[in-house]
Amino acid sequence: MTRVAAGSFLMGSVHPSAYPDDGEGPVREVTLDSFRIDTRAVTNADFARFVEGTGYRTEAQRYGWSFVFAGLLPDNFPPTRGVAAAPWWRQVEGADWSRPEGPGSTVELRPDHPVVHISWADADAYARWVGKRLPTEAEWECAARAGHQGKLFPWGDELEPGGQHRMNVWQGSFPAHNSTADGWYGTCPVDTFEPNDFGLYNMTGNVWEWCADQFGGDGTRRVAKGGSYLCHSSYCRRYRVAARQGMTPDSTTGNVGFRCVAADTGPERDRH
């Protein structure tokens, strides 16, 4: 973990690329106490230790299925229910954190990839087990910005500065063709790209990350931040630090994970 010092930052965005209906704006000053945050998302290996130590069964395991991106399934995969507004998501029986693409798939060769098919309750249970908690949205965004006030990404405003890929998102034409110019089609290891100035890896792209906050006032959804490997400017520009989406707490998909925060215990590796 790394320590984020107490202080104020500007949260939110009214940039033309923002989604006003998501509640990204207005830009407002937020003051936070110091806290510590995981430098990377929780991995398959991390979650496996939790399961081994507790016998925990995720919500996807209890449901018996989860949503998988169709592009990760074999061409001869039988037709299953999709999501009306996002037909690239397919309901896959037996898909869960340990079998991300369903029966026959495994995380054995992906121990350092982020754990996925994780509901909000699953993430909360893991965080409690390790003596931590889920970040507030403000804590997450402050840490992701790493002092770059008003910028779109953890490093600045340019998506690919100097032609360099800085996160795992979709390249090409979504959802039919991904050039994998960044080196990845699905998830990538949690420390693949250069960290931000606070030493945090993959705060944008790769997988969405659950936050503690409710999304909106009806209490039916929780906030997720950061975007995922499926984000593309043609339909989802939510790979920005201010971007947010609301999901029902029982949602489980192949592009949602999390990282944890904890109370501040000292000045080690102080970040401002």
Side-chain angles (χ1 to χ4, degrees):
M1 303 187 85
T2 194
R3 180 178 186 266
V4 178
S8 300
F9 80 105
L10 296 179
M11 182 174 178
S13 178
V14 292
H15 189 273
S17 63
Y19 291 99
D21 290 346
D22 286 351
E24 290 190 39
V27 176
R28 62 276 190 197
E29 185 176 38
V30 175
T31 301
L32 295 171
D33 293 332
S34 60
F35 62 96
R36 294 180 299 140
I37 185 168
D38 290 346
T39 58
R40 53 176 178 75
V42 174
T43 65
N44 288 316
D46 295 331
F47 203 79
R49 285 189 288 271
F50 165 57
V51 170
E52 290 168 6
T54 64
Y56 185 85
R57 284 175 55 81
T58 63
E59 292 201 85
Q61 288 173 310
R62 296 196 295 271
Y63 302 150
W65 64 274
S66 189
F67 282 116
V68 177
F69 175 58
L72 295 172
L73 299 172
D75 292 339
N76 62 351
F77 191 81
T80 58
R81 182 169 70 95
V83 178
W88 46 87
W89 285 115
R90 300 278 294 281
Q91 180 178 337
V92 176
E93 298 293 327
D96 58 50
W97 77 271
S98 64
R99 301 182 297 180
E101 292 79 54
S105 65
T106 178
V107 296
E108 184 176 344
L109 299 180
R110 289 178 265 180
D112 56 351
H113 285 231
V115 66
V116 293
H117 298 293
I118 297 296
S119 72
W120 189 93
D122 298 334
D124 183 61
Y126 173 93
R128 291 174 183 272
W129 184 71
V130 295
K132 303 178 185 180
R133 59 178 173 81
L134 294 179
T136 67
E137 182 178 5
E139 287 172 335
W140 190 100
E141 187 168 327
C142 175
R145 289 188 177 281
H148 293 278
Q149 300 275 32
K151 299 300 182 180
L152 296 177
F153 307 111
W155 53 85
D157 283 332
E158 209 174 337
L159 177 62
E160 298 170 5
Q164 181 184 20
H165 293 284
R166 300 293 296 271
M167 60 177 160
N168 178 16
V169 292
W170 191 276
Q171 294 97 40
S173 176
F174 187 87
H177 173 68
N178 186 347
S179 70
T180 66
D182 62 10
W184 302 95
Y185 189 88
T187 60
C188 67
V190 294
D191 57 356
T192 297
F193 296 92
E194 183 179 339
N196 72 5
D197 287 349
F198 283 4
L200 308 178
Y201 292 89
N202 291 355
M203 291 300 286
T204 51
N206 212 23
V207 293
W208 285 97
E209 297 185 5
W210 286 111
C211 293
D213 304 52
Q214 292 186 3
F215 184 95
D218 61 7
T220 62
R221 292 176 291 171
R222 296 280 183 169
V223 172
K225 298 280 283 186
S228 81
Y229 61 87
L230 295 177
C231 283
H232 186 267
S233 60
S234 65
Y235 86 104
C236 180
R237 302 182 301 274
R238 294 181 178 87
Y239 44 56
R240 298 168 292 104
V241 290
R244 60 204 302 265
Q245 74 165 340
M247 300 188 299
T248 57
D250 60 352
S251 297
T252 66
T253 63
N255 68 338
V256 178
F258 68 106
R259 75 180 68 209
C260 302
V261 300
D264 176 27
T265 57
E268 297 86 358
R269 300 178 64 190
D270 197 3
R271 306 291 180 176
H272 295 273

